[in-house]
Amino acid sequence: MTTAIDFARQHQQRFLDELKTLLRIPSVSTDPAHRDHVRQAATHIAGELNRIGLENVRLIETAGTSPTGHPLVYADWLHAPGAPTVLFYGHYDVQPPEPLDEWLSPPFEPTERDGNLYARGAVDDKGQMFMHLKAVEALFVAHGKLPLNVRFLIEGEEEVGGEGIAAYVATKPTNLAADFAVVSDTSMFAPGLPTLCVGLRGMIYTEIEVRSARTDLHSGYGGAAPNSFNALAHILAKIKDASGRILIPGILDSVQTPAEDELRSWQSLPFSEDEFRETVLGSQAIVGDDRFTVFERLWAQPTFDVHGMPGGFTGVGAKTVIPAKATAKASMRLVPNMSSADTFARFRDYIHQVCPPGVSVEVRLIHSAEPSLIPVDNPWIRAAATAMTQVWGRETVFVRTGGSIPIVGDLQRHLGLPCVMMGFGLADDNLHAPNEKFCLRNFHLGIESILLFLESAAALRPAS
Ligand code: BES
Ligand code: MN
Ligand code: MN
């Protein structure tokens, strides 16, 4: 008899070739020019789900926010009475590939180099969500059926805030009833170290727009004329102090301090600040509030970051102008117990308060996500940790991440689903950056981890 693991090992090459086909579709969700490609990716995945034996495969249209509105892909297989039901979540949309000239091979032409597969979406998240399909396929073939009930919900708007799936999940649709969810969209703490992620930050993504005059002015009026960019710089400089502490009143009040044993467990993670600074950040220093460890700053404290400031004169040479309008794209990451609505209200009010005289400011919310903290005291997490330890031969560690996956909080809140975040990315995978990659060993052992986990979860009792 072929076990599911045998099957997965025998078909590694085919699995990889199939992933490459998916990676060739440039499903950039933020770019209206790629609308059809995003839908093509959804249709392609639906076809793959059908092919491996899933049922009720369909695209669910979402309203989404402009310019998105990309479909969800749904599928299920529910013929294991008495066994639990798993809901697999992943996203098939990707970040824009720019700057293109920094890629060593084209972003949508998946290329193997040094044991890695390079392509936009290789690890975030096409490669990781595809592991779910391949694990289920291996189980189907090895068992002749599935040992538990399975649902898939895969979205195409994660990288732009995931409004569509959030609205859908909020309606608590009966076809999402499950005992637990599995998400593979995070990273391992270190190469070869099996890792479960149990906390995510939330976010408010905003646009701050300052207007100083009816129209641009000759800068000879400087001194008397208000300047939108100077005013914007003034506002931004008031949001954090020099040590990185956020100055918006009340915003830190709701921040939940991690439990003692979680803080203690972070202390035993293999970590060197110097190496992190050098290899991950590539910066001169690690900044931030030194009352907190680096892990606390990344995982348990909120942030404020500016992403870009469109407007004004940025051409070659010089232009003596006072720009009438200045914009900043800026976001805050939120940590457990903060709410996006409350944070945005305080953020907006504070910006109005510190706005210098003579200009007007508008603060717009582009999208938001709630933070999440996963309770670890449940049989699904324990089974996942055991399966990971078995495959990787080391004790599984529990970490949080500084990034966000908006839907995880919604699955918890609306459907009461405990989420198992079993991710196989690595710190040097360049997600959202040029030369994104996925370590091939992680792709293959990730599939094995998931299918072992499913086999042991199948023997657990579903909530009645
Ligand atoms: N997969 C990432 C989240 C992530 C980042 C996990 C780093 C582990 C390490 C996800 O696709 C992502 O990029 N999320 C966005 C969400 C945002 C647009 C609401 C993020 O964190 O910026
Ligand atoms: Mn992702
Ligand atoms: Mn991402």
Side-chain angles (χ1 to χ4, degrees), residues 276-422:
F276 172 74
R277 182 189 54 71
E278 184 60 39
T279 63
V280 180
L281 302 184
S283 62
Q284 283 176 27
I286 296 176
V287 300
D289 190 336
D290 60 14
R291 294 173 307 167
F292 298 107
T293 65
V294 174
F295 295 135
E296 289 174 280
R297 288 179 230 171
L298 291 171
W299 299 342
Q301 286 293 313
T303 62
F304 168 74
D305 277 292
V306 179
H307 306 293
M309 296 195 220
F313 175 68
T314 56
V316 285
K319 179 184 182 192
T320 46
V321 65
I322 296 179
K325 187 179 111 173
T327 315
K329 300 225 177 221
S331 74
M332 288 191 67
R333 300 258 175 194
L334 320 180
V335 296
N337 215 29
M338 293 173 78
S339 99
S340 64
D342 177 71
T343 307
F344 180 68
R346 289 179 193 276
F347 180 79
R348 188 192 47 209
D349 292 352
Y350 180 72
I351 285 174
H352 281 279
Q353 246 172 54
V354 298
C355 181
V359 305
S360 62
V361 64
E362 193 191 335
V363 188
R364 293 185 288 264
L365 182 66
I366 308 287
H367 61 67
S368 62
E370 304 307 322
S372 31
L373 191 57
I374 308 291
V376 292
D377 187 21
N378 66 71
W380 318 108
I381 293 278
R382 283 193 290 274
T386 306
M388 297 275 274
T389 295
Q390 200 175 330
V391 169
W392 297 83
R394 292 170 72 179
E395 204 56 48
T396 300
V397 298
F398 295 79
V399 304
R400 299 192 195 179
T401 171
S404 311
I405 305 173
I407 199 59
V408 168
D410 295 317
L411 292 175
Q412 250 175 326
R413 224 176 359 270
H414 298 302
L415 306 176
L417 287 187
C419 242
V420 176
M421 286 190 271
M422 211 186 227

Side-chain angles (χ1 to χ4, degrees), residues 124 158-159 432:
D124 187 14
E158 196 273 348
E159 301 292 8
H432 295 202

Side-chain angles (χ1 to χ4, degrees), residues 421-440:
M421 286 190 271
M422 211 186 227
F424 301 94
L426 294 176
D428 66 351
D429 278 346
N430 299 319
L431 58 169
H432 295 202
N435 304 304
E436 178 178 347
K437 68 166 179 72
F438 193 8
C439 168
L440 292 173

Side-chain angles (χ1 to χ4, degrees), residues 178-241:
D179 295 286
F180 64 104
V182 175
V183 177
S184 298
D185 194 23
T186 52
S187 299
M188 300 177 86
F189 187 79
L193 184 61
T195 305
L196 290 173
C197 174
V198 298
L200 297 167
R201 290 199 285 196
M203 96 154 16
I204 55 168
Y205 198 105
T206 73
E207 245 167 31
I208 306 166
E209 186 180 294
V210 175
R211 281 187 171 272
S212 55
R214 219 170 19 245
T215 182
D216 289 359
L217 287 170
H218 188 292
S219 66
Y221 293 107
N227 179 314
S228 63
F229 263 94
N230 292 34
L232 179 58
H234 178 90
I235 290 170
L236 297 176
K238 293 234 146 143
I239 294 180
K240 288 202 237 183
D241 70 12

